[in-house]
Amino acid sequence: MSAARELARTPATEKAAGDSLRRFTREPYYLPAADEVAIFEHAHANRLAVMLKGPTGCGKTRFVEHMAWRLGRPLMTVACHDDLTASDLVGRFLVTGEATVWQDGPLTRAVRHGAICYLDELVEARQDTTVVIHPLADHRRILPIDKTGELIDAADGFQLVISYNPSYQHALKDLKPSTRQRFISLEFGFLDAAQEARIVAHEGGVDRADAGALVALAHRLRALQDRGLAEVPSTRLLVAAAQLIASGVGRRRASDVAVVTPLCDEPTLLAAMRDLVDATFA
Ligand SMILES: Nc1ncnc2c1ncn2[C@@H]1O[C@H](COP(=O)(O)OP(=O)(O)OP(=O)(O)O)[C@@H](O)[C@H]1O
Ligand SMILES: [Mg+2]
């Protein structure tokens, strides 16, 4: 990007890239699936970068928030998109009145503050972002800022975490092996029925019977993947249905608007899913 175009970008763009460090004073609720909490702690202690792989709505973001709280680190989250450049992460010169001032981007702020930096769906970002990620994700732990000539050593506690949804990827958009091999990887999926019901009850404010029924519905719907359902319902959707039920919406209606309708537009599949709702809440 040309310097002129870059200077013209407003601070609002910075906000869109996400630039605030969050500090957790209360524990974000997270129910582990296996040993991921311990593995992450070991990775943190050994200054290893971590990749979280898994479908949407299965707890990746919540896990990072929980780990930031557990490790007592601030958290910087950046939602990556296909227009996100290295400058969006590192920072840029901004014109404020007469002066031109350097403004750190979210990655630089995380590096200076020893924060956990969570790059959500990094694969979406422009290729030039790998240039700044690589030296931070390996033993060097440095961030070179070409535009200012600075070379920053990451503060203690800094840790790079990226997420990756394998089902969205196709041949043209994949992480390069040289990127992948800088991260240890934790796989996320949906928890077993009893555990998922605990989450739905906790997060959605419903009793175990309703939570169990929503999870049973999810299992029936997830089985439709073989019949062409591209995205299966996530724990997030079950929590949304539970919240509607807890606030007085009928069980079938809540399941329809929160779980079934978001999933697809195809009339035959929608009808098949609504039959499963009726069977679940008969
Ligand atoms: N293991 C878990 N413990 C506690 N809550 C969970 C867990 N898994 C899922 N949830 C619930 O599901 C919701 C969605 O999870 P989260 O936002 O972490 O998904 P995600 O994997 O980051 O999805 P995306 O890829 O779309 O960003 C959370 O807000 C939380 O209510
Ligand atoms: Mg997330």
Side-chain angles (χ1 to χ4, degrees), residues 29-33 36 54-63 65 118 120-121 163 165 168 188-189 191 199 202-203 234-237 239:
Y29 170 77
Y30 177 74
L31 193 62
E36 67 270 28
T56 185
C58 70
K60 300 182 296 295
T61 295
R62 181 62 67 86
F63 173 65
E65 292 173 348
Y118 181 40
D120 208 350
E121 290 290 335
S163 73
N165 185 335
Y168 295 161
F188 284 70
L191 298 184
I199 295 172
H202 180 275
E203 298 283 290
S234 65
T235 307
R236 175 187 294 126
L237 291 186
V239 169

Side-chain angles (χ1 to χ4, degrees), residues 28-67:
Y29 170 77
Y30 177 74
L31 193 62
D35 62 353
E36 67 270 28
V37 170
I39 297 288
F40 194 101
E41 283 176 332
H42 283 288
H44 189 79
N46 287 284
R47 304 172 151 211
L48 294 171
V50 176
M51 175 186 337
L52 311 179
K53 289 207 279 194
T56 185
C58 70
K60 300 182 296 295
T61 295
R62 181 62 67 86
F63 173 65
V64 180
E65 292 173 348
H66 178 83
M67 293 311 302

Side-chain angles (χ1 to χ4, degrees), residues 12-32:
T13 316
E14 286 293 319
K15 281 271 182 299
D19 61 356
S20 59
L21 285 167
R22 286 174 71 196
R23 288 174 200 277
F24 295 92
T25 48
R26 280 192 311 166
E27 174 179 355
Y29 170 77
Y30 177 74
L31 193 62

